[in-house]
Amino acid sequence: MNQSLAMKRERKSKKLSIIFNKVSKRALDIGVSVAALIVVSPILVYASYKIKREDNGPVLFKQKRSGVNDEPFEMYKFRSMRVNNNVIGTHSNNSKDPYKDWNGRVPDDFVFKSASGYNPNITDIGAFIRKYSIDELPQLINVLKGDMSVVGPRPEITQITNHYDAEQKRRLEVKPGITGWAQVNGRSDMNHGKKIEYDLLYIENENFWLDIKILWMTFMQVIKGKGSV
């Protein structure tokens, strides 16, 4: 009898903990995104002006990414690449699949991009906003819409998630984030296997205070100008 009551209390406690984590995370998302949009509004206006002035192209770059439970959504970024570029990746809407030879799993040694090296497709203002992660700021709108969280695994392009195996798909169990545990521990030089490892570690230990820690670590990295994953 006592054991049965203890088990019921434990289940109730876990249920309340889950509810608290969900409510507190959404409150953090709304609070941080609204405050951030107000604080960085001059930067948003100036970046928009510089992007438009450089080549008269669109200010925002929109691309389909995989969200929670692999539901696709349209993610926003400041455009940092030239309008007519042929690059397949985070700044291209090219429908071709450069990863079609993968056999049911994204290779662990795959590295999506590098923070170093010259790329002729990147605009002058694009190089600056990438260095300081200013190009990611429009994703605060995605957070307000509920597509993303402030903290979580980075949203991957569908061309890559289409090749996830069962283990890799676990990173899609939570909302994607603007920043995450993988980003503050490796940034642009991290391979896919290590990124999955960090993302799953975050999912297994997700809580309010871990999110606060990640936000602080992200702030310090942005100040130092490190490239994002």
Side-chain angles (χ1 to χ4, degrees):
M1 185 68 176
N2 290 337
Q3 186 177 4
S4 177
L5 287 173
M7 291 177 65
K8 287 181 179 179
R9 290 195 189 100
E10 185 178 353
R11 285 196 296 267
K12 184 177 181 179
S13 178
K14 286 183 178 179
K15 186 176 181 180
L16 289 174
S17 178
I18 292 172
I19 293 173
F20 172 78
N21 285 336
K22 286 184 177 181
V23 172
S24 62
K25 189 171 185 68
R26 186 56 184 156
L28 180 67
D29 285 344
I30 294 173
V32 170
S33 55
V34 169
L37 283 170
I38 293 172
V39 171
V40 304
S41 56
I43 298 176
L44 297 176
V45 172
Y46 184 71
S48 299
Y49 166 73
K50 293 291 287 185
I51 293 168
K52 191 69 177 178
R53 184 180 180 183
E54 182 162 344
D55 60 7
N56 204 35
V59 171
L60 292 180
F61 172 80
K62 303 175 184 178
Q63 188 182 52
K64 186 168 70 174
R65 298 289 181 105
S66 293
V68 61
N69 297 321
D70 206 14
E71 287 292 326
F73 71 99
E74 194 171 60
M75 190 190 77
Y76 308 134
K77 298 185 77 168
F78 275 133
R79 181 176 60 85
S80 62
M81 300 190 78
R82 305 187 190 285
V83 177
N84 296 316
N85 76 83
N86 296 315
V87 177
I88 295 176
T90 57
H91 289 71
S92 171
N93 277 317
N94 197 315
S95 60
K96 295 180 181 178
D97 185 0
Y99 317 114
K100 60 183 179 181
D101 294 330
W102 287 347
N103 187 23
R105 176 181 172 86
V106 180
D108 287 341
D109 60 355
F110 170 66
V111 178
F112 188 79
K113 62 179 181 178
S114 173
S116 61
Y118 173 71
N119 186 335
N121 289 300
I122 299 177
T123 60
D124 293 338
I125 183 63
F128 177 81
I129 62 177
R130 278 188 170 198
K131 180 178 180 180
Y132 293 98
S133 298
I134 295 172
D135 60 326
E136 311 286 358
L137 292 179
Q139 288 159 45
L140 293 168
I141 299 172
N142 286 118
V143 174
L144 285 177
K145 289 175 61 179
D147 297 325
M148 296 175 61
S149 288
V150 175
V151 178
R154 285 294 294 158
E156 195 67 89
I157 59 174
T158 56
Q159 292 166 307
I160 290 180
T161 58
N162 287 339
H163 297 280
Y164 275 1
D165 65 7
E167 179 189 20
Q168 293 169 339
K169 281 185 177 181
R170 288 184 56 207
R171 76 186 296 270
L172 304 176
E173 293 175 0
V174 298
K175 285 183 182 180
I178 296 177
T179 185
W181 191 236
Q183 283 62 48
V184 297
N185 281 283
R187 308 288 277 179
S188 297
D189 54 359
M190 183 181 293
N191 65 39
H192 192 268
K194 198 65 178 177
K195 183 168 68 173
I196 290 290
E197 181 182 328
Y198 278 120
D199 286 340
L200 296 185
L201 185 64
Y202 169 77
I203 291 171
E204 292 165 0
N205 296 277
E206 181 184 11
N207 63 73
F208 178 81
W209 295 112
L210 179 57
D211 285 356
I212 295 296
K213 178 180 180 179
I214 292 171
L215 286 174
W216 172 252
M217 293 173 71
T218 300
F219 174 75
M220 297 305 296
Q221 288 194 339
V222 168
I223 294 298
K224 296 174 183 177
K226 294 182 68 177
S228 62
V229 170

